[in-house]
Amino acid sequence: DPVDIVKKGIDFAKKGGYKSVVVDTAGRLQIDEDMMTELKNIKSEVNPSDAILVVDAMTGQESANLVKAFDDEIGLTGSILSKADGDSRGGAALSMKAVTGKPIKFVSNGEKMGDIEPFYPDRMASRILGMGDVMTLVEKAEGAFKDEEVERLQSRIMEAKFDFNDFLEQMKMMNRMGALGKTMRMIPGLNQVSDKQMMEAERSMSKITEMVEKMTEEERGGPGL
């Protein structure tokens, strides 16, 4: 029984001193009465602080019907928009907010924890209009780059001492920001670049990195060779 499983999970969390519990219920492609009854029973038993629906942005305007059905039956406090880097993201976001009045709390551009980020309407609008998302780009850079790393690389460049070891370090720093294609789309004007072109750019960067890694220490330290 799903309700018993949830109760046991919460009891385990309380005994372990956990502060938060996320109850991830079974997903469905279609709405049915059995699922709704199951969710109602779980919500009644657990009394959660939030009831959030994860919606695939690729469903576009159809997401409105899905969110409304869940909100009417269960009572949502918000939603999470997944695959938010797709072409349908704008329609889905507007539809979900319009039919329920409930906020979109998070958006996801991938399957890793680092791909989930808070939802900012103005940033989403900026991306849709092709103006990029400079604020999110800056935040990602601040989280990925350490001040001392940036200062050291800047000093190396200014002194004309930048070598392939520095190049590898720079690539590692960029990788900490996430996939190159997703990062580039945050730069104003680059949203017009196709997925194929993005993939080709990522492959080229990977090949260049592999070539540098195969160099000897002497070759990496002496670009003039």
Side-chain angles (χ1 to χ4, degrees):
D1 180 24
V3 176
D4 288 336
I5 294 173
V6 172
K7 289 172 62 178
K8 289 178 181 178
I10 292 177
D11 288 340
F12 176 84
K14 288 179 178 178
K15 292 176 181 177
Y18 295 95
K19 295 182 179 180
S20 302
V21 178
V22 177
V23 178
D24 184 14
T25 59
R28 297 287 195 282
L29 293 176
Q30 293 182 333
I31 298 172
D32 60 68
E33 284 301 319
D34 291 339
M35 178 188 66
M36 287 299 184
T37 300
E38 179 182 298
L39 292 176
K40 288 178 184 176
N41 292 338
I42 291 175
K43 186 178 181 183
S44 176
E45 185 66 38
V46 175
N47 190 26
S49 59
D50 279 287
I52 299 175
L53 179 67
V54 179
V55 181
D56 187 337
M58 299 305 289
T59 57
Q61 300 292 339
E62 288 299 318
S63 61
N65 297 328
L66 183 66
V67 174
K68 188 176 188 308
F70 273 88
D71 190 42
D72 291 343
E73 293 288 337
I74 310 300
L76 301 176
T77 58
S79 56
I80 295 176
L81 191 64
S82 67
K83 299 181 185 176
D85 55 343
D87 293 334
S88 305
R89 60 186 181 268
L94 291 172
S95 299
M96 291 160 62
K97 174 66 176 176
V99 298
T100 66
K102 307 294 173 62
I104 299 173
K105 298 197 172 188
F106 296 93
V107 291
S108 172
N109 297 312
E111 298 180 353
K112 298 179 181 179
M113 287 299 295
D115 295 323
I116 300 175
E117 55 192 41
F119 175 71
Y120 298 101
D122 54 337
R123 299 185 189 184
M124 175 68 76
S126 181
R127 291 188 196 184
I128 294 171
L129 295 173
M131 298 165 61
D133 186 352
V134 178
M135 287 300 298
T136 299
L137 181 62
V138 170
E139 288 175 0
K140 282 183 173 290
E142 289 177 342
F145 302 162
K146 297 178 181 178
D147 290 341
E148 56 269 24
E149 290 177 331
V150 176
E151 289 175 3
R152 195 191 74 80
L153 287 175
Q154 285 179 340
S155 176
R156 296 279 292 177
I157 293 171
M158 294 299 292
E159 295 172 7
K161 293 180 179 179
F162 190 87
D163 59 23
F164 287 117
N165 288 313
D166 299 317
F167 171 80
L168 286 178
E169 183 179 344
Q170 200 172 48
M171 288 300 101
K172 290 177 182 178
M173 290 167 63
M174 288 181 62
N175 287 335
R176 291 203 294 265
M177 292 181 62
L180 178 63
K182 293 177 182 177
T183 303
M184 289 178 66
R185 288 194 186 282
M186 296 180 191
I187 301 174
L190 290 187
N191 69 310
Q192 300 298 325
V193 179
S194 67
D195 291 337
K196 182 179 179 181
Q197 290 173 316
M198 289 289 188
M199 291 176 64
E200 289 176 352
E202 288 186 11
R203 281 197 293 267
S204 295
M205 293 303 296
S206 296
K207 287 180 180 179
I208 293 171
T209 302
E210 289 174 6
M211 289 170 61
V212 175
E213 288 175 339
K214 293 183 182 298
M215 293 179 181
T216 65
E217 191 64 37
E218 183 181 7
E219 289 171 333
R220 285 202 296 267
L225 295 176

